């Protein structure tokens, strides 16, 4: 049976999705309906298929069976940052400004301040710590203000202050009507979500939260 998170107009609808690698079934008849203004957490053991689910959600992987429908622009923050070590932070922002066809970098500048990344604008990515690289990875996913955010453990390596800033940002985006999916393995983060989907044996099992 399909689990419906909310009755408002969905930004992401996954229906009857199967995905296998050879004989190994990773996703089995997965249904997910995420509406505007909803923050959903996906949890599960390592190797359960969480990253595969998110890649299917954003269109980086095609399901073997089933359908995926997305509404609005998508922001995807993969678990492993895809960055060029020879480029500076500022060069990455200018590159993605062109890719996203943005008139200015105003939103990127706001996110740099919020994520405490402003002092790194002229640094090459290869010189950055893992946590700072992840800040840039997240910033790139958010700088075009997408309606659907798909974030795969987006705060890996963050210090506690930036970790808290991330959740403040996520709550603000949710309150502005964005749809957000976050893969998380931290139990103390689960209270931030409107609903939690446990991925076990290729299937999603939902529970409501007390947020």
């Amino acid at each position: 049976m399909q689990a419906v998170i909310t009755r408002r107009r969905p930004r992401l609808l996954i229906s009857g999705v199967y995905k296998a690698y050879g004989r190994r079934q990773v996703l089995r008849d997965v249904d997910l309906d995420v509406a505007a203004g909803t923050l959903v957490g996906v949890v599960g053991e390592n190797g359960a298929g969480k990253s595969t689910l998110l890649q299917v959600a954003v269109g980086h992987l095609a399901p073997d069976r089933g359908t995926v429908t997305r509404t609005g622009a998508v922001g995807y923050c993969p678990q492993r940052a895809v960055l060029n070590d020879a480029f500076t932070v500022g060069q990455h922002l200018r590159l993605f400004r062109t890719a996203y066809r943005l008139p200015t970098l105003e939103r990127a500048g706001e996110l740099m301040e919020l994520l405490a990344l402003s002092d790194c604008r002229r640094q090459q990515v290869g010189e950055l710590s893992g946590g700072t690289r992840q800040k840039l990875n997240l910033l790139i996913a958010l700088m075009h203000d997408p309606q659907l955010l798909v974030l795969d453990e987006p705060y890996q390596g963050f210090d506690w202050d930036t970790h808290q800033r991330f959740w403040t940002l996520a709550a603000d985006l949710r309150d502005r009507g964005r749809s957000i999916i976050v893969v998380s393995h931290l139990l103390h983060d689960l209270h931030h979500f409107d609903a939690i989907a446990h991925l076990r044996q290729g299937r999603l099992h939902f529970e409501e939260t007390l947020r």
Side-chain angles (χ1 to χ4, degrees):
M1 182 178 69
Q2 181 169 316
V4 178
I5 305 300
T6 174
R7 293 182 180 179
R8 287 173 288 180
R9 185 169 178 260
R11 300 286 187 181
L12 173 68
L13 179 62
I14 295 175
S15 181
V17 161
Y18 285 78
K19 184 64 182 178
Y21 297 107
R23 295 184 178 181
R24 178 173 171 253
Q25 286 192 336
V26 179
L27 303 176
R28 302 167 57 208
D29 196 24
V30 168
D31 294 321
L32 178 61
D33 187 347
V34 184
T38 304
L39 178 55
V40 176
V42 177
V43 299
E45 296 180 357
N46 289 338
K50 302 184 298 296
S51 294
T52 296
L53 173 62
L54 297 198
Q55 289 181 62
V56 168
V58 300
H60 284 201
L61 281 177
D64 299 329
R65 194 159 73 244
T67 60
V68 180
T69 304
R70 292 173 293 274
T71 304
V74 178
Y76 175 46
C77 181
Q79 190 176 55
R80 179 173 295 180
V82 182
L83 304 170
N84 189 318
D85 286 349
F87 286 6
T88 66
V89 170
Q91 286 172 325
H92 276 86
L93 299 187
R94 291 192 293 274
L95 175 66
F96 279 92
R97 174 188 173 182
T98 300
Y100 290 139
R101 299 181 179 179
L102 301 177
T104 70
L105 285 173
E106 181 178 358
R107 179 57 175 163
E110 294 172 354
L111 292 168
M112 289 188 79
E113 289 289 336
L114 187 133
L115 296 171
L117 195 56
S118 297
D119 293 341
C120 302
R121 185 183 289 268
R122 296 184 179 179
Q123 283 187 263
Q124 287 184 318
V125 166
E127 300 172 350
L128 302 178
S129 67
T132 305
R133 289 170 64 94
Q134 188 63 10
K135 289 181 185 181
L136 179 58
N137 192 35
L138 177 61
L139 189 157
I140 288 170
L142 302 180
M143 63 184 282
H144 59 304
D145 199 19
Q147 286 78 42
L148 171 63
L149 304 173
V150 180
L151 312 177
D152 195 348
E153 295 192 34
Y155 39 66
Q156 288 188 93
F158 282 8
D159 57 57
W160 181 248
D161 178 64
T162 310
H163 184 89
Q164 295 300 100
R165 289 177 183 224
F166 166 78
W167 284 115
T168 299
L169 173 62
D172 176 66
L173 291 168
R174 187 254 319 280
D175 293 344
R176 289 169 51 200
R178 303 299 183 261
S179 304
I180 309 169
I181 305 173
V182 178
V183 165
S184 178
H185 65 281
L186 301 177
L187 294 178
H188 57 69
D189 284 341
L190 300 187
H191 69 281
H192 293 289
F193 297 113
D194 299 303
I196 297 169
H198 294 265
L199 187 57
R200 294 191 295 266
Q201 297 181 334
R203 298 180 185 274
L204 285 178
H205 304 268
F206 291 85
E207 67 177 57
E208 298 298 322
T209 71
L210 298 176
R211 187 187 66 80

